[in-house]
Amino acid sequence: MEQTELVFIPFPIIGHLASALEIAKLITKRDPRFSITIFIMKFPFGSTDGMDTDSDSIRFVTLPPVEVSSETTPSGHFFSEFLKVHIPLVRDAVHELTRSNSVRLSGFVIDMFCTHMIDVADEFGVPSYLFFPSGAAFLGFLLHVQFLHDYEGLDINEFKDSDAELDVPTFVNSVPGKVFPAWMFDKESGGAEMLLCHTRRFREVKGILVNTFIELESHAIQSLSGSTVPEVYPVGPILNTRMGSGGGQQDASAIMSWLDDQPPSSVIFLCFGSMGSFGADQIKEIAYGLEHSGHRFLWSLRQLPQKGKMGFPGGYENIEEVLPEGFLHRTARIGKVIGWAPQIAVLAHSAVGGFVSHCGWNSLLESIWYGVPVATWPIYAEQQINAFQMVKDLGLAVEIKIDYNRDSDYVVSAHEIENGLRNLMNINSEVRKKRKEMEKISRKVMIDGGSSHFSLGHFIEDMMDSKVMKGKDAL
C-alpha cells in the first residue's frame, strides 16, 4: 500500500516538540495510510533529548547541527537566522525521504515559528498546514494585530506599559496592553518583526491545527470561522504524556512517594515551565507567602541561566542558599522544594489541590484535563495573555498576577502570594466548580463523537482530498 507521507517541522523547544509528537501519534493512529517524519532541529543550548515513540508510522530525522551564535546574536534575530539556515537541510532531507516510489509526500505540518518552511513545501508542490500549539484566542490576537499593523497603521508601542486596551474579536473582553507578549515591543532584538513576519505567513497555509477544543474556546473559534483566515481545526487537548527533561526516575519516585503521604487535594504545586526561574528577592517572597498561607506545597525551584547567555534554567547545587534562613526546617512537615518536576504525574495525583502556573498553554490544558484549579503567574512569551483569558474571559483561574514579566523589576509580595494561594485553595470557589465541569468535557472531546475527534477526522479528509486533487493535476 502506498504510504501518504507527512513531514512535521516543530520548533525545537520541549513544549512545541511534545505537542507535535502527540498530534502525529493521533493522526497515524486514526488513519494507518499516514506515515509521519518529524525533523528535529537542535539549538546550540539546551536539549531536545527524550523524543521517542512506539509507533512504527512515526520516525525522527535529526538534522545536522548549524553554527549560529547564541551569545552575541539577540533572540529575535537569532531564531530567524537559526531557522533560515535550516532551509537547505530540510530541502535535502525531504529529497532523501521521497526517493522511494512507495512514498507519496502529501504535505508539511509546520510550527508557528517555522513558517520559512512554507517555501520548501511549495518547492515540492505540496500544501502546508500550521500547527499552533497555543490557544485559538491568541491565534486570533496575533492575526488581528498583524492586520491592524499592516493595513491600518497600528503602532503597537502605544500599548507598552499602558492601561490602553484593544478590542480583539477572539476575546470576550478588551485586551489590556500590559498583557501583550513582551516580544511585540522588542524592536531592538527583532522579536516584534519576527512575530509579524510569521503571522503574515499564517495566512498562506491551507489550514491551522490548534491545540484547543470548541467547548473551551467557543467564542474564539466562532470568531475565526468564516473569516479570511485559513480553516481552523481544533484538535486538542493534546497533552505531553511521555516526554520530560532535566530529571530522572529516581527524582520522580521520591516526589510521588512524598505526595502519597499527603491528604487528598491538600497540596499546592508550584511549577513555572521549562524557562521559568526567579531572582533571589522573588524567591524569598514566594517562600514567605507559602509559609504564611499554611498550605502544603510542592515547589519546583529552578536557577536562572547564566547572565548574558541564552539557555534554560537548571537545578541549584545548594537550594538552602537562596531560601530564607530556616525555611526548609520550619516547613519540613508540610512542604517539599524540588528541582525538576514530572508535571503530568504530579497534576494527576489525588493529593494535588491547586497549581501555581506560568500559564504556558500546555500546562493550562494539563490542569484542565486533571481538574486542578490554577493560580496565574505568567513569566514570558504569550503567558500573560493566556492568564488574562483564563481569569477574565473564561473564569477558569484565580489571579496571583496576570501581567508579571520576568524582564521587569517588579517583585510580587508575600502578601499578594498568600492571598492568591488562599483563593486558589477555596474549596467552594466558582473557579473550582468550573474546572471540574471542564475536566469532564475535555475527556469527552477526544473520543469518538467528541468535537476534537470530529475535527481531526475533518483535517484528515481534507488532507486526503488535497492529495487526490494533486494526483489528478499530475495526470
Side-chain angles (χ1 to χ4, degrees), residues 194-236:
M194 184 189 75
L195 268 181
L196 287 168
C197 285
H198 285 307
T199 305
R200 288 184 193 107
R201 303 213 68 181
F202 292 177
R203 301 178 186 276
E204 300 177 31
V205 300
K206 189 171 175 59
I208 304 176
L209 294 154
V210 184
N211 190 7
T212 190
F213 52 104
I214 292 170
E215 292 82 352
L216 176 64
E217 292 193 278
S218 56
H219 174 83
I221 292 166
Q222 184 62 39
S223 298
L224 290 168
S225 65
S227 66
T228 58
V229 177
E231 181 157 8
V232 170
Y233 304 92
V235 293

mmCIF file of all heavy atoms in Angstrom, residues 194-236:
data_model
loop_
_atom_site.group_PDB
_atom_site.id
_atom_site.type_symbol
_atom_site.label_atom_id
_atom_site.label_comp_id
_atom_site.label_asym_id
_atom_site.label_seq_id
_atom_site.Cartn_x
_atom_site.Cartn_y
_atom_site.Cartn_z
ATOM 1 N N MET A 194 9.830 39.591 13.939
ATOM 2 C CA MET A 194 9.740 38.144 13.769
ATOM 3 C C MET A 194 8.298 37.665 13.921
ATOM 4 O O MET A 194 7.791 36.886 13.106
ATOM 5 C CB MET A 194 10.634 37.429 14.788
ATOM 6 C CG MET A 194 10.670 35.920 14.606
ATOM 7 S SD MET A 194 11.503 35.040 15.952
ATOM 8 C CE MET A 194 10.264 35.144 17.239
ATOM 9 N N LEU A 195 7.614 38.149 14.967
ATOM 10 C CA LEU A 195 6.221 37.757 15.181
ATOM 11 C C LEU A 195 5.341 38.181 14.017
ATOM 12 O O LEU A 195 4.488 37.418 13.542
ATOM 13 C CB LEU A 195 5.695 38.382 16.480
ATOM 14 C CG LEU A 195 5.816 37.573 17.769
ATOM 15 C CD1 LEU A 195 5.221 38.344 18.935
ATOM 16 C CD2 LEU A 195 5.114 36.223 17.645
ATOM 17 N N LEU A 196 5.514 39.401 13.557
ATOM 18 C CA LEU A 196 4.709 39.899 12.444
ATOM 19 C C LEU A 196 4.956 39.095 11.170
ATOM 20 O O LEU A 196 4.010 38.743 10.449
ATOM 21 C CB LEU A 196 5.000 41.379 12.199
ATOM 22 C CG LEU A 196 4.438 42.368 13.229
ATOM 23 C CD1 LEU A 196 5.042 43.745 13.034
ATOM 24 C CD2 LEU A 196 2.916 42.438 13.125
ATOM 25 N N CYS A 197 6.222 38.791 10.895
ATOM 26 C CA CYS A 197 6.562 38.015 9.694
ATOM 27 C C CYS A 197 5.922 36.631 9.726
ATOM 28 O O CYS A 197 5.341 36.174 8.727
ATOM 29 C CB CYS A 197 8.077 37.885 9.555
ATOM 30 S SG CYS A 197 8.894 39.384 8.994
ATOM 31 N N HIS A 198 6.044 35.968 10.846
ATOM 32 C CA HIS A 198 5.433 34.635 10.959
ATOM 33 C C HIS A 198 3.912 34.726 10.805
ATOM 34 O O HIS A 198 3.300 33.916 10.111
ATOM 35 C CB HIS A 198 5.786 33.993 12.292
ATOM 36 C CG HIS A 198 7.192 33.492 12.380
ATOM 37 N ND1 HIS A 198 7.740 32.641 11.451
ATOM 38 C CD2 HIS A 198 8.177 33.715 13.294
ATOM 39 C CE1 HIS A 198 8.993 32.361 11.784
ATOM 40 N NE2 HIS A 198 9.283 33.004 12.885
ATOM 41 N N THR A 199 3.312 35.707 11.465
ATOM 42 C CA THR A 199 1.852 35.810 11.440
ATOM 43 C C THR A 199 1.340 36.098 10.032
ATOM 44 O O THR A 199 0.300 35.563 9.625
ATOM 45 C CB THR A 199 1.369 36.897 12.415
ATOM 46 O OG1 THR A 199 1.897 36.626 13.721
ATOM 47 C CG2 THR A 199 -0.142 36.914 12.499
ATOM 48 N N ARG A 200 2.042 36.922 9.271
ATOM 49 C CA ARG A 200 1.644 37.156 7.874
ATOM 50 C C ARG A 200 1.584 35.839 7.108
ATOM 51 O O ARG A 200 0.683 35.607 6.299
ATOM 52 C CB ARG A 200 2.642 38.094 7.192
ATOM 53 C CG ARG A 200 2.570 39.537 7.651
ATOM 54 C CD ARG A 200 3.522 40.438 6.861
ATOM 55 N NE ARG A 200 3.635 41.722 7.530
ATOM 56 C CZ ARG A 200 4.702 42.134 8.209
ATOM 57 N NH1 ARG A 200 5.777 41.356 8.275
ATOM 58 N NH2 ARG A 200 4.709 43.314 8.805
ATOM 59 N N ARG A 201 2.531 34.979 7.389
ATOM 60 C CA ARG A 201 2.616 33.729 6.636
ATOM 61 C C ARG A 201 1.596 32.686 7.099
ATOM 62 O O ARG A 201 1.334 31.717 6.376
ATOM 63 C CB ARG A 201 4.045 33.178 6.685
ATOM 64 C CG ARG A 201 5.077 34.170 6.153
ATOM 65 C CD ARG A 201 6.221 33.501 5.463
ATOM 66 N NE ARG A 201 5.834 32.862 4.213
ATOM 67 C CZ ARG A 201 6.682 32.197 3.433
ATOM 68 N NH1 ARG A 201 7.953 32.076 3.790
ATOM 69 N NH2 ARG A 201 6.267 31.627 2.319
ATOM 70 N N PHE A 202 1.027 32.889 8.301
ATOM 71 C CA PHE A 202 -0.064 32.008 8.725
ATOM 72 C C PHE A 202 -1.164 31.982 7.665
ATOM 73 O O PHE A 202 -1.844 30.972 7.460
ATOM 74 C CB PHE A 202 -0.701 32.488 10.034
ATOM 75 C CG PHE A 202 0.160 32.391 11.264
ATOM 76 C CD1 PHE A 202 -0.331 32.859 12.489
ATOM 77 C CD2 PHE A 202 1.435 31.845 11.230
ATOM 78 C CE1 PHE A 202 0.435 32.785 13.639
ATOM 79 C CE2 PHE A 202 2.212 31.772 12.378
ATOM 80 C CZ PHE A 202 1.705 32.248 13.588
ATOM 81 N N ARG A 203 -1.364 33.111 7.003
ATOM 82 C CA ARG A 203 -2.469 33.259 6.045
ATOM 83 C C ARG A 203 -2.205 32.492 4.753
ATOM 84 O O ARG A 203 -3.121 32.338 3.932
ATOM 85 C CB ARG A 203 -2.689 34.744 5.747
ATOM 86 C CG ARG A 203 -3.021 35.568 6.985
ATOM 87 C CD ARG A 203 -3.194 37.044 6.671
ATOM 88 N NE ARG A 203 -3.378 37.849 7.885
ATOM 89 C CZ ARG A 203 -4.538 38.035 8.504
ATOM 90 N NH1 ARG A 203 -5.641 37.483 8.004
ATOM 91 N NH2 ARG A 203 -4.617 38.772 9.595
ATOM 92 N N GLU A 204 -0.978 32.003 4.556
ATOM 93 C CA GLU A 204 -0.634 31.285 3.331
ATOM 94 C C GLU A 204 -0.894 29.781 3.417
ATOM 95 O O GLU A 204 -0.880 29.094 2.391
ATOM 96 C CB GLU A 204 0.850 31.504 3.001
ATOM 97 C CG GLU A 204 1.238 32.952 2.772
ATOM 98 C CD GLU A 204 2.738 33.092 2.535
ATOM 99 O OE1 GLU A 204 3.352 32.146 1.978
ATOM 100 O OE2 GLU A 204 3.305 34.137 2.916
ATOM 101 N N VAL A 205 -1.100 29.269 4.618
ATOM 102 C CA VAL A 205 -1.244 27.813 4.759
ATOM 103 C C VAL A 205 -2.651 27.375 4.391
ATOM 104 O O VAL A 205 -3.583 28.186 4.300
ATOM 105 C CB VAL A 205 -0.890 27.351 6.195
ATOM 106 C CG1 VAL A 205 0.551 27.708 6.534
ATOM 107 C CG2 VAL A 205 -1.857 27.947 7.226
ATOM 108 N N LYS A 206 -2.802 26.070 4.185
ATOM 109 C CA LYS A 206 -4.108 25.517 3.785
ATOM 110 C C LYS A 206 -5.046 25.355 4.974
ATOM 111 O O LYS A 206 -6.260 25.389 4.831
ATOM 112 C CB LYS A 206 -3.898 24.173 3.078
ATOM 113 C CG LYS A 206 -5.146 23.607 2.432
ATOM 114 C CD LYS A 206 -4.820 22.412 1.582
ATOM 115 C CE LYS A 206 -6.090 21.760 1.021
ATOM 116 N NZ LYS A 206 -6.886 22.684 0.194
ATOM 117 N N GLY A 207 -4.479 25.175 6.160
ATOM 118 C CA GLY A 207 -5.296 25.020 7.358
ATOM 119 C C GLY A 207 -4.436 25.143 8.602
ATOM 120 O O GLY A 207 -3.204 25.032 8.526
ATOM 121 N N ILE A 208 -5.088 25.350 9.756
ATOM 122 C CA ILE A 208 -4.367 25.549 11.013
ATOM 123 C C ILE A 208 -4.905 24.592 12.063
ATOM 124 O O ILE A 208 -6.080 24.659 12.447
ATOM 125 C CB ILE A 208 -4.504 27.006 11.514
ATOM 126 C CG1 ILE A 208 -4.031 27.999 10.440
ATOM 127 C CG2 ILE A 208 -3.713 27.196 12.809
ATOM 128 C CD1 ILE A 208 -4.221 29.460 10.819
ATOM 129 N N LEU A 209 -4.042 23.670 12.505
ATOM 130 C CA LEU A 209 -4.370 22.773 13.617
ATOM 131 C C LEU A 209 -4.079 23.515 14.916
ATOM 132 O O LEU A 209 -2.966 24.010 15.120
ATOM 133 C CB LEU A 209 -3.518 21.509 13.548
ATOM 134 C CG LEU A 209 -3.752 20.584 12.357
ATOM 135 C CD1 LEU A 209 -2.498 19.772 12.071
ATOM 136 C CD2 LEU A 209 -4.919 19.661 12.630
ATOM 137 N N VAL A 210 -5.068 23.601 15.809
ATOM 138 C CA VAL A 210 -4.909 24.352 17.051
ATOM 139 C C VAL A 210 -5.119 23.415 18.230
ATOM 140 O O VAL A 210 -6.074 22.630 18.260
ATOM 141 C CB VAL A 210 -5.897 25.539 17.133
ATOM 142 C CG1 VAL A 210 -5.633 26.365 18.387
ATOM 143 C CG2 VAL A 210 -5.781 26.423 15.896
ATOM 144 N N ASN A 211 -4.239 23.520 19.208
ATOM 145 C CA ASN A 211 -4.315 22.670 20.397
ATOM 146 C C ASN A 211 -5.328 23.243 21.373
ATOM 147 O O ASN A 211 -4.985 23.818 22.418
ATOM 148 C CB ASN A 211 -2.940 22.547 21.058
ATOM 149 C CG ASN A 211 -2.923 21.490 22.148
ATOM 150 O OD1 ASN A 211 -3.895 20.757 22.326
ATOM 151 N ND2 ASN A 211 -1.830 21.403 22.867
ATOM 152 N N THR A 212 -6.594 23.067 21.034
ATOM 153 C CA THR A 212 -7.693 23.554 21.869
ATOM 154 C C THR A 212 -8.933 22.742 21.545
ATOM 155 O O THR A 212 -8.879 21.831 20.704
ATOM 156 C CB THR A 212 -7.934 25.056 21.623
ATOM 157 O OG1 THR A 212 -8.847 25.560 22.617
ATOM 158 C CG2 THR A 212 -8.509 25.332 20.239
ATOM 159 N N PHE A 213 -10.048 23.051 22.188
ATOM 160 C CA PHE A 213 -11.298 22.396 21.829
ATOM 161 C C PHE A 213 -12.434 23.406 21.888
ATOM 162 O O PHE A 213 -12.362 24.420 22.589
ATOM 163 C CB PHE A 213 -11.584 21.162 22.689
ATOM 164 C CG PHE A 213 -11.522 21.349 24.183
ATOM 165 C CD1 PHE A 213 -12.684 21.433 24.944
ATOM 166 C CD2 PHE A 213 -10.298 21.395 24.841
ATOM 167 C CE1 PHE A 213 -12.625 21.568 26.327
ATOM 168 C CE2 PHE A 213 -10.222 21.529 26.223
ATOM 169 C CZ PHE A 213 -11.398 21.620 26.970
ATOM 170 N N ILE A 214 -13.450 23.141 21.084
ATOM 171 C CA ILE A 214 -14.530 24.113 20.865
ATOM 172 C C ILE A 214 -15.187 24.517 22.175
ATOM 173 O O ILE A 214 -15.475 25.693 22.412
ATOM 174 C CB ILE A 214 -15.572 23.538 19.882
ATOM 175 C CG1 ILE A 214 -14.964 23.411 18.480
ATOM 176 C CG2 ILE A 214 -16.824 24.416 19.838
ATOM 177 C CD1 ILE A 214 -15.818 22.637 17.500
ATOM 178 N N GLU A 215 -15.406 23.541 23.053
ATOM 179 C CA GLU A 215 -16.127 23.831 24.291
ATOM 180 C C GLU A 215 -15.335 24.741 25.221
ATOM 181 O O GLU A 215 -15.929 25.448 26.046
ATOM 182 C CB GLU A 215 -16.467 22.521 25.009
ATOM 183 C CG GLU A 215 -17.497 21.659 24.284
ATOM 184 C CD GLU A 215 -16.904 20.801 23.161
ATOM 185 O OE1 GLU A 215 -15.701 20.969 22.816
ATOM 186 O OE2 GLU A 215 -17.643 19.960 22.630
ATOM 187 N N LEU A 216 -14.008 24.749 25.108
ATOM 188 C CA LEU A 216 -13.177 25.627 25.926
ATOM 189 C C LEU A 216 -13.132 27.035 25.343
ATOM 190 O O LEU A 216 -13.252 28.015 26.078
ATOM 191 C CB LEU A 216 -11.751 25.067 26.025
ATOM 192 C CG LEU A 216 -10.719 25.928 26.773
ATOM 193 C CD1 LEU A 216 -11.104 26.069 28.238
ATOM 194 C CD2 LEU A 216 -9.321 25.335 26.630
ATOM 195 N N GLU A 217 -12.947 27.144 24.038
ATOM 196 C CA GLU A 217 -12.768 28.445 23.393
ATOM 197 C C GLU A 217 -13.836 28.675 22.314
ATOM 198 O O GLU A 217 -13.526 29.017 21.174
ATOM 199 C CB GLU A 217 -11.376 28.537 22.778
ATOM 200 C CG GLU A 217 -10.240 28.574 23.770
ATOM 201 C CD GLU A 217 -8.941 28.992 23.095
ATOM 202 O OE1 GLU A 217 -8.301 28.129 22.484
ATOM 203 O OE2 GLU A 217 -8.594 30.186 23.168
ATOM 204 N N SER A 218 -15.075 28.494 22.679
ATOM 205 C CA SER A 218 -16.158 28.601 21.689
ATOM 206 C C SER A 218 -16.201 29.986 21.051
ATOM 207 O O SER A 218 -16.391 30.114 19.837
ATOM 208 C CB SER A 218 -17.504 28.262 22.337
ATOM 209 O OG SER A 218 -17.744 29.089 23.465
ATOM 210 N N HIS A 219 -16.031 31.041 21.857
ATOM 211 C CA HIS A 219 -16.090 32.407 21.326
ATOM 212 C C HIS A 219 -14.963 32.636 20.317
ATOM 213 O O HIS A 219 -15.192 33.163 19.214
ATOM 214 C CB HIS A 219 -15.985 33.428 22.458
ATOM 215 C CG HIS A 219 -15.897 34.843 21.985
ATOM 216 N ND1 HIS A 219 -17.016 35.580 21.648
ATOM 217 C CD2 HIS A 219 -14.830 35.655 21.751
ATOM 218 C CE1 HIS A 219 -16.644 36.789 21.234
ATOM 219 N NE2 HIS A 219 -15.313 36.846 21.287
ATOM 220 N N ALA A 220 -13.741 32.239 20.669
ATOM 221 C CA ALA A 220 -12.591 32.462 19.791
ATOM 222 C C ALA A 220 -12.722 31.688 18.492
ATOM 223 O O ALA A 220 -12.483 32.226 17.400
ATOM 224 C CB ALA A 220 -11.305 32.070 20.515
ATOM 225 N N ILE A 221 -13.116 30.426 18.597
ATOM 226 C CA ILE A 221 -13.207 29.579 17.400
ATOM 227 C C ILE A 221 -14.318 30.079 16.480
ATOM 228 O O ILE A 221 -14.164 30.120 15.257
ATOM 229 C CB ILE A 221 -13.408 28.110 17.806
ATOM 230 C CG1 ILE A 221 -12.129 27.594 18.488
ATOM 231 C CG2 ILE A 221 -13.740 27.245 16.592
ATOM 232 C CD1 ILE A 221 -12.296 26.288 19.216
ATOM 233 N N GLN A 222 -15.431 30.495 17.064
ATOM 234 C CA GLN A 222 -16.513 31.058 16.259
ATOM 235 C C GLN A 222 -16.065 32.332 15.554
ATOM 236 O O GLN A 222 -16.419 32.580 14.394
ATOM 237 C CB GLN A 222 -17.727 31.357 17.155
ATOM 238 C CG GLN A 222 -18.963 31.852 16.423
ATOM 239 C CD GLN A 222 -19.510 30.835 15.428
ATOM 240 O OE1 GLN A 222 -19.516 29.636 15.710
ATOM 241 N NE2 GLN A 222 -19.941 31.292 14.271
ATOM 242 N N SER A 223 -15.269 33.140 16.232
ATOM 243 C CA SER A 223 -14.773 34.385 15.638
ATOM 244 C C SER A 223 -13.860 34.120 14.442
ATOM 245 O O SER A 223 -13.830 34.915 13.499
ATOM 246 C CB SER A 223 -14.002 35.207 16.680
ATOM 247 O OG SER A 223 -14.839 35.581 17.751
ATOM 248 N N LEU A 224 -13.120 33.013 14.492
ATOM 249 C CA LEU A 224 -12.190 32.686 13.412
ATOM 250 C C LEU A 224 -12.870 32.024 12.223
ATOM 251 O O LEU A 224 -12.382 32.104 11.094
ATOM 252 C CB LEU A 224 -11.083 31.760 13.933
ATOM 253 C CG LEU A 224 -10.075 32.388 14.902
ATOM 254 C CD1 LEU A 224 -9.235 31.300 15.566
ATOM 255 C CD2 LEU A 224 -9.178 33.390 14.182
ATOM 256 N N SER A 225 -13.998 31.366 12.453
ATOM 257 C CA SER A 225 -14.669 30.655 11.361
ATOM 258 C C SER A 225 -15.361 31.655 10.439
ATOM 259 O O SER A 225 -15.934 32.651 10.880
ATOM 260 C CB SER A 225 -15.690 29.650 11.916
ATOM 261 O OG SER A 225 -16.729 30.319 12.595
ATOM 262 N N GLY A 226 -15.292 31.383 9.165
ATOM 263 C CA GLY A 226 -15.950 32.260 8.197
ATOM 264 C C GLY A 226 -15.183 33.524 7.894
ATOM 265 O O GLY A 226 -15.626 34.363 7.112
ATOM 266 N N SER A 227 -14.001 33.695 8.508
ATOM 267 C CA SER A 227 -13.181 34.880 8.241
ATOM 268 C C SER A 227 -12.228 34.574 7.087
ATOM 269 O O SER A 227 -12.320 33.536 6.442
ATOM 270 C CB SER A 227 -12.397 35.275 9.498
ATOM 271 O OG SER A 227 -11.450 34.278 9.805
ATOM 272 N N THR A 228 -11.305 35.479 6.831
ATOM 273 C CA THR A 228 -10.328 35.270 5.757
ATOM 274 C C THR A 228 -9.161 34.385 6.211
ATOM 275 O O THR A 228 -8.252 34.117 5.437
ATOM 276 C CB THR A 228 -9.767 36.630 5.289
ATOM 277 O OG1 THR A 228 -9.178 37.300 6.406
ATOM 278 C CG2 THR A 228 -10.869 37.494 4.696
ATOM 279 N N VAL A 229 -9.211 33.943 7.441
ATOM 280 C CA VAL A 229 -8.169 33.074 7.990
ATOM 281 C C VAL A 229 -8.336 31.666 7.405
ATOM 282 O O VAL A 229 -9.467 31.213 7.184
ATOM 283 C CB VAL A 229 -8.291 33.025 9.531
ATOM 284 C CG1 VAL A 229 -7.273 32.088 10.146
ATOM 285 C CG2 VAL A 229 -8.150 34.428 10.105
ATOM 286 N N PRO A 230 -7.228 30.944 7.140
ATOM 287 C CA PRO A 230 -7.366 29.544 6.714
ATOM 288 C C PRO A 230 -8.186 28.740 7.712
ATOM 289 O O PRO A 230 -8.296 29.108 8.886
ATOM 290 C CB PRO A 230 -5.918 29.053 6.671
ATOM 291 C CG PRO A 230 -5.104 30.287 6.451
ATOM 292 C CD PRO A 230 -5.818 31.385 7.171
ATOM 293 N N GLU A 231 -8.747 27.638 7.244
ATOM 294 C CA GLU A 231 -9.626 26.844 8.109
ATOM 295 C C GLU A 231 -8.902 26.406 9.376
ATOM 296 O O GLU A 231 -7.738 25.986 9.346
ATOM 297 C CB GLU A 231 -10.141 25.613 7.367
ATOM 298 C CG GLU A 231 -11.081 24.780 8.209
ATOM 299 C CD GLU A 231 -12.016 23.912 7.393
ATOM 300 O OE1 GLU A 231 -11.847 23.835 6.171
ATOM 301 O OE2 GLU A 231 -12.929 23.306 8.007
ATOM 302 N N VAL A 232 -9.607 26.531 10.496
ATOM 303 C CA VAL A 232 -9.059 26.173 11.803
ATOM 304 C C VAL A 232 -9.622 24.827 12.241
ATOM 305 O O VAL A 232 -10.841 24.607 12.204
ATOM 306 C CB VAL A 232 -9.381 27.265 12.850
ATOM 307 C CG1 VAL A 232 -9.026 26.794 14.256
ATOM 308 C CG2 VAL A 232 -8.631 28.553 12.513
ATOM 309 N N TYR A 233 -8.723 23.930 12.648
ATOM 310 C CA TYR A 233 -9.119 22.610 13.149
ATOM 311 C C TYR A 233 -8.768 22.524 14.635
ATOM 312 O O TYR A 233 -7.598 22.343 14.992
ATOM 313 C CB TYR A 233 -8.366 21.509 12.404
ATOM 314 C CG TYR A 233 -8.509 21.509 10.903
ATOM 315 C CD1 TYR A 233 -7.589 22.194 10.110
ATOM 316 C CD2 TYR A 233 -9.534 20.811 10.260
ATOM 317 C CE1 TYR A 233 -7.682 22.179 8.724
ATOM 318 C CE2 TYR A 233 -9.640 20.787 8.874
ATOM 319 C CZ TYR A 233 -8.704 21.482 8.115
ATOM 320 O OH TYR A 233 -8.809 21.472 6.736
ATOM 321 N N PRO A 234 -9.749 22.655 15.536
ATOM 322 C CA PRO A 234 -9.458 22.490 16.978
ATOM 323 C C PRO A 234 -9.333 20.996 17.297
ATOM 324 O O PRO A 234 -10.319 20.274 17.241
ATOM 325 C CB PRO A 234 -10.676 23.110 17.668
ATOM 326 C CG PRO A 234 -11.598 23.578 16.578
ATOM 327 C CD PRO A 234 -11.159 22.977 15.300
ATOM 328 N N VAL A 235 -8.131 20.544 17.627
ATOM 329 C CA VAL A 235 -7.886 19.108 17.769
ATOM 330 C C VAL A 235 -7.396 18.727 19.170
ATOM 331 O O VAL A 235 -6.941 17.614 19.388
ATOM 332 C CB VAL A 235 -6.870 18.619 16.708
ATOM 333 C CG1 VAL A 235 -7.457 18.712 15.306
ATOM 334 C CG2 VAL A 235 -5.557 19.398 16.797
ATOM 335 N N GLY A 236 -7.490 19.625 20.140
ATOM 336 C CA GLY A 236 -6.989 19.365 21.481
ATOM 337 C C GLY A 236 -8.076 18.885 22.437
ATOM 338 O O GLY A 236 -9.235 18.710 22.038
#
